[in-house]
Amino acid sequence: MIVRLAGARKAPADLVMRARIVALSWSGLRVAGIATEPGCHAKTVRWWLHHFNELDLEGLEDWPVTGRPRRLTEFERSRIIALVRQAPPGRQVRQADGELAPADEAGPPEWTLDALAAEAARLGVAVGRSQIRRILLAEGVRWRRTRSWIRSKDPDFEGKGRGSSVCTPARPTARRSCAPTSSGR
């Protein structure tokens, strides 16, 4: 049964791999040799061999997953990520006459967590802002465009430079001394 399952083409791939591990162990290969054939770690080979020895064929099947199941499917997660990559509907767009005007007056000008949650709800994905934040942080996606005020095409616009204000002088850099600050007793 194991040899037939190890060569099966219509069975689940993980079950076939585990059956191949057992079949290779019966052929006399050591754990390191068995691990190279399916391309897994030696610990994985030992794990499945021990489970097979204890539970026979049932030891090769998947174990029940612990923990709470995911509330959102991968499709819904990818829709949220794709939503962030789109321009928000209320973003200012330069018109033909050179003036800035939003494409959609009712839409948000930039993506915030609340705006993303509202747009996701409109698309049929019921998700809160905290869940959206966790998804985007896990994916490494930025959901805000910071300092949009500094990008002006107006020739009279003058940036403030490095300091926060003309009145506030920049802080001088402190010299660092190499002398220890503690007595070291």
Side-chain angles (χ1 to χ4, degrees), residues 60-132:
L60 298 182
E61 293 190 13
D62 287 327
W63 287 44
V65 178
T66 60
R68 181 178 174 205
R70 286 189 167 193
R71 228 177 43 75
L72 296 176
T73 64
E74 282 302 315
F75 177 72
E76 291 170 333
R77 288 172 61 90
S78 55
R79 282 184 79 180
I80 291 171
I81 293 166
L83 184 64
V84 172
R85 296 191 188 272
Q86 296 173 1
R91 178 169 285 166
Q92 301 275 335
V93 179
R94 195 161 300 279
Q95 304 296 320
D97 60 354
E99 292 294 317
L100 290 175
D104 178 15
E105 292 282 337
E110 65 180 27
W111 288 127
T112 61
L113 294 175
D114 289 327
L116 286 168
E119 187 66 20
R122 191 184 67 74
L123 293 173
V125 180
V127 64
R129 58 177 278 144
S130 61
Q131 181 69 25
I132 290 176

Side-chain angles (χ1 to χ4, degrees), residues 25-47:
S25 74
W26 287 348
S27 68
L29 280 176
R30 298 182 65 86
V31 171
I34 296 171
T36 58
E37 203 272 319
C40 60
H41 198 274
K43 282 185 178 182
T44 306
V45 172
R46 284 189 201 97
W47 168 269

